[in-house]
Amino acid sequence: MKYACPRCRALSIPGLAKRWSDRRFPAKCAKCGGLSHVLASTSSGIVVGTFLVLLGSMVAAAGAMSWSLAVSGVCLSVASNMWAWRRAVLIPIPKESVDNARAVSWALAGVYALIALLGN
């Protein structure tokens, strides 16, 4: 499935590119070359929501001792995940912000490594 680019409105962003997009690695439009990403709060919320639906259905299935309830719970969690990703909005992001986010990410990784080495 392809999604609309927020800049040119062409259906040119693949579904997996949308799902894996963030500030450091945004999805790129095949038509205009514009960069866009899904907000981290939205993508994290989708993951947590999917997990909660799955966990709730598994608890209900265990309480009822029903395999059919467990299978329907898995189907419900997959369907809700797909629905939520279709509704997730792509936000345009300039190239400079992407470069800054990558630089901050590498700097934090270096700080974490330094703390890990000096922490013992």
Side-chain angles (χ1 to χ4, degrees):
M1 176 169 210
K2 299 270 186 171
Y3 294 96
C5 172
R7 295 176 193 262
C8 69
R9 302 286 182 222
L11 292 175
S12 59
I13 297 178
L16 283 178
K18 180 179 179 179
R19 281 180 178 255
W20 290 103
S21 66
D22 64 1
R23 291 185 66 80
R24 293 177 302 142
F25 302 104
K28 186 174 184 178
C29 177
K31 186 171 182 179
C32 71
L35 302 174
S36 56
H37 71 292
V38 175
L39 294 176
S41 59
T42 302
S43 60
S44 297
I46 292 171
V47 170
V48 170
T50 301
F51 176 73
L52 289 177
V53 168
L54 184 61
L55 182 66
S57 63
M58 290 302 117
V59 168
M65 292 187 200
S66 169
W67 283 102
S68 61
L69 190 58
V71 170
S72 64
V74 169
C75 293
L76 178 64
S77 66
V78 168
S80 67
N81 182 284
M82 291 172 62
W83 174 80
W85 275 111
R86 282 193 185 141
R87 291 184 44 94
V89 177
L90 283 166
I91 308 294
I93 185 170
K95 177 74 169 116
E96 296 79 24
S97 294
V98 173
D99 294 337
N100 290 340
R102 287 181 182 168
V104 167
S105 173
W106 280 109
L108 285 176
V111 169
Y112 292 153
L114 186 63
I115 290 172
L117 288 173
L118 299 176
N120 290 331

